Amino acid sequence: VPLQPWEREALKDYHPLIRTPRGATRLLNTYRLVRAGIPEKEWGDFRGDEMYGEFRVAMLLLGAAAGYPAEARKWFDRLRKEDLNKVFQSDAVKDTDQEAWKNFIKVYEATLKQTPTILAQDVLLKFLDQEILVKWLNRVEQFTF
């Protein structure tokens, strides 16, 4: 699946989560697999305005899974079960690498800051929407191990 220029550019934003060349390859390959499975009717939401779309949620989660596979399972469980505002305001996740969690939060917050100012409030609300996050958690977890 050839990536569009906006996808290649966006992938760079998730490099802080990647710790090894193997992790980078894993992120790229799993993103391509996820992207290939996007139904045509969902493509508009996935692509968004090419600056922000649901693809960013997928990249964030895939980056976490590629860079911190053991930790990501715990994070994903927490993201699925807890109120998102509390999750991202918390400095710690029980039984996980605290530095890794802080890194994940940093990348998450950087993703939010890169959205166009005019759309920031709408995008923030959509990005933090539990339904969208769970949708992508379910899809991404199919490709994590």
Side-chain angles (χ1 to χ4, degrees):
V1 176
L3 300 183
Q4 299 297 316
W6 51 270
E7 290 173 302
R8 288 192 299 274
E9 193 61 34
L11 276 168
K12 294 176 188 175
D13 297 335
Y14 301 93
H15 82 273
L17 294 171
I18 306 303
R19 300 178 299 161
T20 64
R22 187 177 197 173
T25 301
R26 183 184 222 183
L27 170 58
L28 181 60
N29 289 338
T30 54
Y31 176 75
R32 285 180 167 156
L33 285 170
V34 168
R35 184 181 181 272
I38 304 297
E40 188 176 335
K41 66 182 180 184
E42 294 181 19
W43 180 247
D45 288 337
F46 183 76
R47 183 188 69 232
D49 66 359
E50 298 180 4
M51 171 70 169
Y52 177 82
E54 290 182 15
F55 73 93
R56 287 204 176 263
V57 179
M59 285 182 181
L60 175 69
L61 297 173
L62 289 166
Y68 301 98
E71 303 300 324
R73 292 177 196 275
K74 298 171 195 169
W75 301 345
F76 291 177
D77 187 50
R78 185 169 185 196
L79 292 171
R80 182 176 275 112
K81 294 178 181 175
E82 295 182 28
D83 178 87
L84 293 182
N85 291 321
K86 290 179 184 173
V87 170
F88 287 111
Q89 291 173 0
S90 172
D91 286 339
V93 175
K94 187 179 176 182
D95 300 324
T96 191
D97 179 333
Q98 299 309 311
E99 287 305 311
W101 175 246
K102 288 177 185 176
N103 191 30
F104 177 71
I105 290 176
K106 253 192 254 183
V107 174
Y108 175 85
E109 290 173 348
T111 298
L112 290 180
K113 288 178 184 174
Q114 292 174 349
T115 60
T117 308
I118 230 164
L119 298 174
Q121 188 61 28
D122 294 336
V123 170
L124 177 63
L125 291 173
K126 185 172 183 181
F127 195 73
L128 290 174
D129 182 85
Q130 189 84 30
E131 184 179 331
I132 291 172
L133 188 61
V134 169
K135 169 182 146 181
W136 288 104
L137 280 167
N138 291 338
R139 291 181 183 185
V140 163
E141 282 184 321
Q142 293 176 25
F143 299 98
T144 61
F145 47 90

Short mmCIF file of all heavy atoms in Angstrom, two decimals, residues 57-83:
data_model
loop_
_atom_site.label_atom_id
_atom_site.label_comp_id
_atom_site.label_asym_id
_atom_site.label_seq_id
_atom_site.Cartn_x
_atom_site.Cartn_y
_atom_site.Cartn_z
N VAL A 57 -5.04 8.65 15.11
CA VAL A 57 -5.33 7.76 16.23
C VAL A 57 -4.67 6.40 15.97
O VAL A 57 -4.02 5.84 16.84
CB VAL A 57 -6.85 7.60 16.43
CG1 VAL A 57 -7.14 6.65 17.59
CG2 VAL A 57 -7.52 8.95 16.66
N ALA A 58 -4.84 5.90 14.75
CA ALA A 58 -4.23 4.62 14.38
C ALA A 58 -2.70 4.69 14.50
O ALA A 58 -2.07 3.78 15.07
CB ALA A 58 -4.63 4.22 12.96
N MET A 59 -2.09 5.75 14.00
CA MET A 59 -0.63 5.88 14.07
C MET A 59 -0.15 5.95 15.51
O MET A 59 0.87 5.35 15.86
CB MET A 59 -0.17 7.12 13.31
CG MET A 59 -0.21 6.97 11.82
SD MET A 59 0.41 8.49 11.04
CE MET A 59 0.22 8.06 9.31
N LEU A 60 -0.85 6.70 16.35
CA LEU A 60 -0.47 6.81 17.76
C LEU A 60 -0.48 5.44 18.44
O LEU A 60 0.48 5.05 19.10
CB LEU A 60 -1.41 7.77 18.49
CG LEU A 60 -1.20 7.89 19.99
CD1 LEU A 60 0.11 8.61 20.29
CD2 LEU A 60 -2.37 8.63 20.63
N LEU A 61 -1.56 4.72 18.25
CA LEU A 61 -1.68 3.41 18.89
C LEU A 61 -0.69 2.40 18.31
O LEU A 61 -0.08 1.62 19.05
CB LEU A 61 -3.12 2.90 18.76
CG LEU A 61 -4.17 3.77 19.47
CD1 LEU A 61 -5.56 3.28 19.14
CD2 LEU A 61 -3.94 3.83 20.97
N LEU A 62 -0.51 2.43 17.00
CA LEU A 62 0.46 1.53 16.37
C LEU A 62 1.88 1.88 16.79
O LEU A 62 2.71 0.99 16.98
CB LEU A 62 0.31 1.57 14.85
CG LEU A 62 -0.94 0.91 14.30
CD1 LEU A 62 -1.14 1.29 12.83
CD2 LEU A 62 -0.88 -0.60 14.46
N GLY A 63 2.17 3.17 16.93
CA GLY A 63 3.49 3.59 17.40
C GLY A 63 3.76 3.09 18.80
O GLY A 63 4.85 2.61 19.11
N ALA A 64 2.75 3.18 19.67
CA ALA A 64 2.89 2.67 21.04
C ALA A 64 3.13 1.17 21.02
O ALA A 64 4.00 0.66 21.73
CB ALA A 64 1.64 3.01 21.85
N ALA A 65 2.37 0.45 20.20
CA ALA A 65 2.50 -1.00 20.13
C ALA A 65 3.85 -1.42 19.54
O ALA A 65 4.43 -2.42 19.96
CB ALA A 65 1.37 -1.60 19.31
N ALA A 66 4.34 -0.66 18.58
CA ALA A 66 5.63 -0.98 17.95
C ALA A 66 6.81 -0.63 18.86
O ALA A 66 7.80 -1.35 18.90
CB ALA A 66 5.76 -0.24 16.62
N GLY A 67 6.69 0.46 19.59
CA GLY A 67 7.80 0.91 20.42
C GLY A 67 7.83 0.30 21.81
O GLY A 67 8.89 0.10 22.39
N TYR A 68 6.66 0.03 22.35
CA TYR A 68 6.55 -0.50 23.70
C TYR A 68 5.53 -1.64 23.73
O TYR A 68 4.48 -1.53 24.35
CB TYR A 68 6.10 0.60 24.67
CG TYR A 68 7.02 1.78 24.73
CD1 TYR A 68 6.75 2.94 24.01
CD2 TYR A 68 8.16 1.76 25.53
CE1 TYR A 68 7.59 4.04 24.08
CE2 TYR A 68 9.01 2.85 25.60
CZ TYR A 68 8.72 3.99 24.87
OH TYR A 68 9.56 5.08 24.94
N PRO A 69 5.81 -2.76 23.06
CA PRO A 69 4.80 -3.81 22.93
C PRO A 69 4.25 -4.34 24.25
O PRO A 69 3.04 -4.52 24.39
CB PRO A 69 5.50 -4.91 22.14
CG PRO A 69 6.89 -4.49 21.94
CD PRO A 69 7.06 -3.09 22.41
N ALA A 70 5.09 -4.59 25.22
CA ALA A 70 4.61 -5.13 26.50
C ALA A 70 3.81 -4.09 27.27
O ALA A 70 2.77 -4.39 27.87
CB ALA A 70 5.78 -5.62 27.34
N GLU A 71 4.27 -2.86 27.25
CA GLU A 71 3.60 -1.78 27.97
C GLU A 71 2.29 -1.39 27.30
O GLU A 71 1.31 -1.07 27.96
CB GLU A 71 4.51 -0.56 28.07
CG GLU A 71 5.84 -0.83 28.73
CD GLU A 71 5.73 -1.32 30.16
OE1 GLU A 71 4.83 -0.88 30.89
OE2 GLU A 71 6.54 -2.17 30.55
N ALA A 72 2.28 -1.40 25.98
CA ALA A 72 1.10 -0.95 25.23
C ALA A 72 -0.14 -1.76 25.58
O ALA A 72 -1.24 -1.22 25.63
CB ALA A 72 1.37 -1.00 23.73
N ARG A 73 0.02 -3.03 25.85
CA ARG A 73 -1.14 -3.85 26.24
C ARG A 73 -1.82 -3.28 27.48
O ARG A 73 -3.04 -3.21 27.56
CB ARG A 73 -0.71 -5.30 26.49
CG ARG A 73 -0.27 -6.03 25.27
CD ARG A 73 0.20 -7.43 25.64
NE ARG A 73 0.96 -8.03 24.59
CZ ARG A 73 0.45 -8.68 23.57
NH1 ARG A 73 -0.85 -8.81 23.48
NH2 ARG A 73 1.22 -9.20 22.64
N LYS A 74 -1.02 -2.89 28.45
CA LYS A 74 -1.56 -2.30 29.69
C LYS A 74 -2.21 -0.95 29.39
O LYS A 74 -3.27 -0.64 29.91
CB LYS A 74 -0.45 -2.13 30.72
CG LYS A 74 0.19 -3.43 31.15
CD LYS A 74 1.42 -3.17 31.99
CE LYS A 74 2.26 -4.41 32.12
NZ LYS A 74 3.56 -4.14 32.70
N TRP A 75 -1.54 -0.14 28.57
CA TRP A 75 -2.08 1.17 28.22
C TRP A 75 -3.40 1.03 27.50
O TRP A 75 -4.35 1.75 27.78
CB TRP A 75 -1.11 1.94 27.34
CG TRP A 75 0.25 2.18 27.92
CD1 TRP A 75 0.63 2.05 29.24
CD2 TRP A 75 1.41 2.59 27.22
NE1 TRP A 75 1.96 2.35 29.36
CE2 TRP A 75 2.47 2.69 28.15
CE3 TRP A 75 1.66 2.88 25.90
CZ2 TRP A 75 3.74 3.08 27.79
CZ3 TRP A 75 2.95 3.27 25.53
CH2 TRP A 75 3.97 3.37 26.47
N PHE A 76 -3.45 0.11 26.54
CA PHE A 76 -4.66 -0.07 25.74
C PHE A 76 -5.82 -0.51 26.63
O PHE A 76 -6.95 -0.06 26.46
CB PHE A 76 -4.44 -1.08 24.62
CG PHE A 76 -3.52 -0.61 23.53
CD1 PHE A 76 -3.20 -1.45 22.49
CD2 PHE A 76 -2.96 0.66 23.53
CE1 PHE A 76 -2.36 -1.05 21.46
CE2 PHE A 76 -2.10 1.08 22.52
CZ PHE A 76 -1.81 0.23 21.48
N ASP A 77 -5.53 -1.38 27.59
CA ASP A 77 -6.57 -1.82 28.51
C ASP A 77 -7.10 -0.63 29.31
O ASP A 77 -8.30 -0.47 29.48
CB ASP A 77 -6.00 -2.90 29.44
CG ASP A 77 -7.07 -3.53 30.30
OD1 ASP A 77 -8.10 -3.95 29.75
OD2 ASP A 77 -6.88 -3.60 31.54
N ARG A 78 -6.20 0.19 29.76
CA ARG A 78 -6.60 1.38 30.53
C ARG A 78 -7.37 2.37 29.66
O ARG A 78 -8.38 2.91 30.08
CB ARG A 78 -5.36 2.05 31.10
CG ARG A 78 -5.72 3.20 32.00
CD ARG A 78 -4.56 3.71 32.77
NE ARG A 78 -5.04 4.74 33.67
CZ ARG A 78 -4.27 5.60 34.27
NH1 ARG A 78 -2.97 5.56 34.09
NH2 ARG A 78 -4.78 6.50 35.05
N LEU A 79 -6.92 2.60 28.44
CA LEU A 79 -7.61 3.52 27.54
C LEU A 79 -9.02 3.03 27.22
O LEU A 79 -9.93 3.83 27.03
CB LEU A 79 -6.82 3.68 26.23
CG LEU A 79 -5.49 4.40 26.35
CD1 LEU A 79 -4.72 4.30 25.04
CD2 LEU A 79 -5.69 5.86 26.74
N ARG A 80 -9.19 1.75 27.17
CA ARG A 80 -10.49 1.17 26.84
C ARG A 80 -11.46 1.29 28.02
O ARG A 80 -12.64 1.50 27.83
CB ARG A 80 -10.32 -0.30 26.47
CG ARG A 80 -11.61 -0.98 26.06
CD ARG A 80 -11.39 -2.40 25.61
NE ARG A 80 -11.03 -2.38 24.19
CZ ARG A 80 -9.85 -2.70 23.70
NH1 ARG A 80 -8.89 -3.08 24.49
NH2 ARG A 80 -9.60 -2.65 22.42
N LYS A 81 -10.97 1.19 29.25
CA LYS A 81 -11.84 1.08 30.42
C LYS A 81 -12.06 2.37 31.20
O LYS A 81 -13.06 2.50 31.89
CB LYS A 81 -11.28 0.02 31.37
CG LYS A 81 -11.31 -1.37 30.80
CD LYS A 81 -10.71 -2.35 31.75
CE LYS A 81 -10.72 -3.76 31.17
NZ LYS A 81 -10.03 -4.71 32.05
N GLU A 82 -11.12 3.30 31.13
CA GLU A 82 -11.20 4.47 32.01
C GLU A 82 -11.60 5.73 31.25
O GLU A 82 -11.45 5.81 30.04
CB GLU A 82 -9.85 4.70 32.69
CG GLU A 82 -9.47 3.58 33.65
CD GLU A 82 -8.16 3.84 34.36
OE1 GLU A 82 -7.80 5.02 34.56
OE2 GLU A 82 -7.48 2.87 34.71
N ASP A 83 -12.05 6.70 32.00
CA ASP A 83 -12.38 8.01 31.45
C ASP A 83 -11.12 8.62 30.85
O ASP A 83 -10.09 8.72 31.52
CB ASP A 83 -12.94 8.90 32.56
CG ASP A 83 -13.25 10.29 32.06
OD1 ASP A 83 -14.36 10.50 31.55
OD2 ASP A 83 -12.36 11.16 32.18
#
